[in-house]
Amino acid sequence: QADGLPEGSKALLGFNEPNFPNQANLDPHTAALHWKDVEKLAEDNNISTIVSPSMNYHESMDPIEWLEQFLGHCNGCKVDAIGIHVFACYAAGLKYHLDRYRALGKPMWITEIACSDWQSPERLSAEGQMAYMREAIPLLEADEDVQRYAW
């Protein structure tokens, strides 16, 4: 299609890591101003599910604080789920992240997940990633608020 969306798309993901200067690099207010464009793109393509900007941790701004401000500025905006990127290396770290996002009261879509924490070098190998997967997948499957996840 001319807009780059695959035919038959059912969901549209919002901005990628807007709290990162080398990603979408948007403050919450600016992102809220542009959200109507996201909604229009979804409407024009018969997409029923719109996922929030997908967040990750960055020193520039806490992702929960960013989303709270975005949702505050974007009053009445269509946001069906919260997009999350998690790069913890143990199930306890993943659960910590999920519990923080859970406070936003919307289903969660984990659209990027893997161990990439340099403070856990024992989990960066293929074997370490597999160990993390064996911990993370049962946790994700059991969490009623996790609607989707992709490794």
Side-chain angles (χ1 to χ4, degrees):
Q1 290 185 317
D3 56 22
L5 295 175
E7 187 72 36
S9 295
K10 295 183 180 358
L12 182 61
L13 303 179
F15 309 114
N16 186 62
E17 298 179 350
N19 60 329
F20 276 61
N22 63 345
Q23 292 294 329
N25 193 28
L26 294 168
D27 63 83
H29 181 260
T30 302
L33 291 174
H34 291 292
W35 198 251
K36 293 297 178 198
D37 297 331
V38 173
E39 291 176 340
K40 176 137 178 41
L41 182 62
E43 182 181 334
D44 290 349
N45 287 277
N46 297 314
I47 295 173
S48 59
T49 301
I50 302 177
V51 180
S52 77
S54 293
M55 305 302 295
N56 189 10
Y57 276 83
H58 191 275
E59 70 256 4
S60 66
M61 186 171 208
D62 178 81
I64 306 301
E65 180 182 337
W66 192 100
L67 281 168
E68 288 172 341
Q69 288 183 27
F70 168 76
L71 293 169
H73 290 299
C74 210
N75 192 14
C77 290
K78 181 173 173 52
V79 177
D80 300 301
I82 300 297
I84 305 169
H85 297 167
V86 182
F87 299 107
C89 294
Y90 288 91
L94 172 58
K95 183 171 181 344
Y96 168 79
H97 288 282
L98 295 176
D99 287 344
R100 290 207 60 218
Y101 286 97
R102 191 180 325 279
L104 297 168
K106 293 192 179 282
M108 295 181 281
W109 284 34
I110 295 83
T111 57
E112 292 183 21
I113 182 172
C115 169
S116 65
D117 185 348
W118 62 270
Q119 293 178 323
S120 299
E122 71 284 0
R123 286 282 175 115
L124 297 178
S125 66
E127 294 81 17
Q129 295 289 334
M130 288 300 295
Y132 179 46
M133 285 179 72
R134 285 190 291 274
E135 294 174 7
I137 290 174
L139 186 132
L140 294 168
E141 288 288 324
D143 193 317
E144 293 178 357
D145 295 322
V146 174
Q147 199 170 61
R148 302 266 189 278
Y149 64 88
W151 199 269

